[in-house]
Amino acid sequence: MIFHHEIDEALGYAPKMDVHVPGAPKLSLDAIGRAAITDHPGSVLLYMAWDKDEPGMVSTFTNTSVTSDPQTTVVKAFDAYTAKPVGLLGTGPMLVMLRLHTDMYLGLPGKWFMGIMGFLFMIAIISGVVLYWPFTRRLNFAAIRKQKSRRVLWLDWHNLLGVVTIVWALVVGGTGVINAYAEVMLGIWQRNELAAMAAPYAGKPTPAQLASLDKVLGNAMKVAPGMDPAFIAFPGTPFTSTHHFAVFLRGDTPLTSRLVKPVLLDGETGEVSDTSELPTYLKAVLVSQPLHFGDYGGMPLKIIWALLTVFTIIVLGSGLYLWAVKRSKVRRGARLSAGAQAAIGSSS
Amino acid sequence: MSKVPQHRATWRRVFGAPIVIGVLSLAGLLSALLAGDPGRYFSWFGVGLPIAIAAWAYCRK
């Protein structure tokens, strides 16, 4: 997951972009939208999205209707200059890994389960901190007793690797739990804040004739000068009301690029209806994503992230080993004392 | 020497280094998010510190 982008690229699942002369004019968004529908006749557009690192690319999300199963949505990248399709997104082996990692193909129950596992992971870390004191109070920091038994050696490594990764593991665990409940929190936002924004338009039908996408985007960007579009949600999708476009704008730093600002625009006229900040709980979800995957500080941070993951696996493995050794010792001890008692009993 | 300061000295020996590492880790995790390019460089130090310590413990006699 840490190297998602690199693996997709290496396996050829990332779209290959043509090089255009600097300053070449981009096509209108309406032209991209038409190209996406021509590419998938009978479909409707759900979203259009922009990748921060690929300014010449527009991603289109199409499905048979705005309320179809999100798992059947087709995500296709188009060249912003020529409206040529450049490849499907969200396919390939890394998507399988992502699904296994988030819900194990079990939908919302799978996410709840993963969230609970993440929570237990955090409790395990805290219990390790509690045990750290009695096991190390007679030792110096990072003491590795190599001359003692194998069990003691693994105990010392377990304690060292565990204690130096506590903060990182708690952050990755905690942000993982938050991510697991992202869908639930999105639902809360839809029912409360979003519903309140759309309330004056309640009962209005889905627009028969959609406004020009370029007009929608242009009006939205006037609301927050200096911000770039992250994505447009079409009327009826989960990110907006049945009557509105929602344009989500973002800044350009690692933090502000996550904290998107929604602008609601009338689906028929393209005029701005309302704008707001996201509630704190949704901001928490958006900020927690980089802190979980470690993809926000360049390649060195990704490599560090991967090594710390290896450390965590060693801590888990050695913890299981130490527990198993201790249990077999206790059992043997119990058997010995039972045997001794039996011997005493028979002799008397 | 009374008993209480000695206990405190032990506590500092056991938890002192882990707390410093934890604070630097957290600072590194946040700096890459909040402080642009310098923050990114600092994050490699702060978040990478546990790896350096483990390597040091492994290579030491």
Side-chain angles (χ1 to χ4, degrees):
Chain A
M1 293 288 86
I2 303 166
F3 299 104
H4 192 154
H5 189 74
E6 287 75 16
I7 294 172
D8 268 351
E9 236 161 42
L11 295 178
Y13 284 99
K16 283 168 198 64
M17 302 302 301
D18 293 335
V19 180
H20 298 282
V21 283
K26 287 186 186 176
L27 284 177
S28 71
L29 273 190
D30 291 312
I32 307 279
R34 277 194 300 273
I37 296 302
T38 313
D39 215 49
H40 294 277
S43 289
V44 294
L45 277 163
L46 273 55
Y47 310 100
M48 273 183 165
W50 289 265
D51 190 327
K52 245 187 340 200
D53 306 318
E54 287 283 5
M57 185 178 96
V58 183
S59 312
T60 62
F61 295 60
T62 52
N63 207 330
T64 46
S65 80
V66 288
T67 50
S68 300
D69 176 11
Q71 301 300 343
T72 61
T73 297
V74 177
V75 188
K76 201 163 214 176
F78 285 84
D79 190 314
Y81 298 91
T82 60
K84 260 199 327 206
V86 286
L88 285 170
L89 296 175
T91 57
M94 287 314 287
L95 185 74
V96 177
M97 293 301 291
L98 184 65
R99 288 295 309 277
L100 284 174
H101 187 85
T102 51
D103 69 353
M104 302 178 296
Y105 287 91
L106 294 173
L108 207 49
K111 286 186 184 169
W112 278 95
F113 176 76
M114 293 301 263
I116 291 164
M117 294 307 278
F119 191 67
L120 292 178
F121 174 67
M122 292 174 76
I123 290 175
I125 294 168
I126 292 162
S127 74
V129 178
V130 173
L131 288 175
Y132 187 71
W133 167 255
F135 276 103
T136 60
R137 71 196 158 101
R138 292 180 206 289
L139 301 169
N140 282 322
F141 172 69
I144 304 289
R145 289 165 289 175
K146 286 177 183 168
Q147 69 285 2
K148 294 262 179 96
S149 69
R150 197 167 64 152
R151 190 185 69 84
V152 170
L153 183 70
W154 275 113
L155 173 68
D156 287 346
W157 273 113
H158 178 85
N159 282 334
L160 173 60
L161 294 183
V163 83
V164 294
T165 55
I166 287 169
V167 168
W168 177 83
L170 282 176
V171 167
V172 171
T175 54
V177 172
I178 292 174
N179 274 315
Y181 300 119
E183 203 172 312
V184 177
M185 290 195 242
L186 185 67
I188 295 172
W189 177 71
Q190 283 171 297
R191 283 194 297 279
N192 297 306
E193 281 87 350
L194 185 63
M197 279 170 91
Y201 306 87
K204 279 203 176 184
T206 311
Q209 188 72 44
L210 288 178
S212 153
L213 296 176
D214 299 277
K215 190 177 171 192
V216 166
L217 185 61
N219 285 342
M221 287 177 71
K222 271 184 232 155
V223 171
M227 291 182 94
D228 292 319
F231 68 97
I232 297 180
F234 283 65
T237 56
F239 288 88
T240 181
S241 78
T242 50
H243 187 72
H244 293 86
F245 281 102
V247 176
F248 289 78
L249 300 166
R250 68 179 160 213
D252 58 1
T253 72
L255 182 70
T256 58
S257 67
R258 315 276 169 173
L259 295 177
V260 289
K261 181 184 180 66
V263 181
L264 238 57
L265 304 104
D266 192 286
E268 273 167 11
T269 65
E271 298 301 323
V272 174
S273 301
D274 200 357
T275 174
S276 73
E277 293 290 320
L278 287 181
T280 311
Y281 59 88
L282 268 195
K283 284 184 176 171
V285 171
L286 294 167
V287 173
S288 73
Q289 276 162 358
L291 286 170
H292 186 69
F293 291 110
D295 56 354
Y296 64 108
M299 186 46 84
L301 192 65
K302 287 189 180 189
I303 293 168
I304 290 167
W305 222 264
L307 289 171
L308 290 174
T309 307
V310 172
F311 280 17
T312 306
I313 293 167
I314 295 172
V315 172
L316 290 173
S318 58
L320 278 176
Y321 164 75
L322 292 167
W323 172 77
V325 168
K326 179 159 190 199
R327 211 175 66 134
S328 69
K329 247 191 180 174
V330 169
R331 277 218 184 135
R332 212 181 304 141
R335 222 180 298 139
L336 278 178
S337 66
Q341 267 175 10
I344 294 164
S346 66
S347 71
S348 64
Chain B
M1 212 209 275
S2 75
K3 218 176 171 188
V4 174
Q6 200 181 347
H7 185 269
R8 197 176 294 160
T10 314
W11 195 89
R12 203 177 298 155
R13 196 191 63 219
V14 170
F15 284 112
I19 287 173
V20 171
I21 295 162
V23 168
L24 287 171
S25 290
L26 191 63
L29 287 168
L30 295 177
S31 72
L33 207 55
L34 302 172
D37 272 345
R40 169 182 290 219
Y41 301 140
F42 177 75
S43 78
W44 300 341
F45 162 74
V47 186
L49 192 59
I51 295 163
I53 289 168
W56 163 74
Y58 186 81
C59 298
R60 175 187 56 166
K61 287 234 163 166

